[in-house]
Amino acid sequence: QVQVVESGGGLVQAGGSLRLSCTASGLGLGFATVVMGWFRQVPGKERELVSCISADGASTNYADSVKGRFTISRDNSKDTLYLQMNNLKPEDTAMYYCAQPSRSYYSGGAYYCGLARHYWGQGTQVTVSS
């Protein structure tokens, strides 16, 4: 049984920071063996990939809108995924979810991930005021 719990969201002023955490269990052969990602969704819009990280943490990918501001990381000893978000902007306001991307691959030396098939967690709300 897959269990995912996201936390760390909240209300913050533009320019502020938040650190999201996600604990996950029941994935594949264990958390340390699967690619993980952060996704976000605004009501009325499609869910989008924010960032993803390979199972060993060596490869990452970021949406253009968050490059240079967000950092994804993972602690496989704790089955936990993180997203450090700095210099937050009002357009970062969304519900954030962690999930396993449906696919990941390398192309031209860069790492890419797709959307997830399943989102098991409830998400954590991030609201950035201007």
Side-chain angles (χ1 to χ4, degrees):
Q1 183 179 357
V2 178
Q3 292 187 326
V4 173
V5 179
E6 301 99 340
S7 63
L11 173 63
V12 64
Q13 289 188 331
S17 298
L18 285 172
R19 189 193 194 202
L20 305 184
S21 298
C22 165
T23 57
S25 61
L27 293 170
L29 297 177
F31 180 84
T33 68
V34 300
V35 177
M36 291 295 295
W38 285 100
F39 303 81
R40 67 186 181 186
Q41 187 171 26
V42 176
K45 293 189 177 181
E46 292 186 356
R47 200 169 321 215
E48 63 174 352
L49 173 70
V50 175
S51 181
C52 64
I53 186 168
S54 59
D56 63 1
S59 300
T60 58
N61 174 274
Y62 296 92
D64 288 342
S65 58
V66 307
K67 280 180 181 176
R69 300 188 297 121
F70 290 11
T71 302
I72 191 170
S73 62
R74 64 192 298 162
D75 185 338
N76 287 342
S77 69
K78 297 181 179 178
D79 292 350
T80 302
L81 180 72
Y82 303 99
L83 186 68
Q84 178 66 44
M85 305 186 296
N86 298 329
N87 190 22
L88 282 161
K89 302 177 180 181
E91 51 263 44
D92 294 319
T93 295
M95 185 71 78
Y96 284 71
Y97 302 87
C98 79
Q100 181 182 356
S102 60
R103 61 175 183 149
S104 63
Y105 60 95
Y106 294 89
S107 177
Y111 185 65
Y112 298 93
C113 297
L115 294 177
R117 290 194 180 94
H118 305 288
Y119 298 88
W120 294 282
Q122 296 299 308
T124 186
Q125 177 68 39
V126 172
T127 303
V128 184
S129 62
S130 57

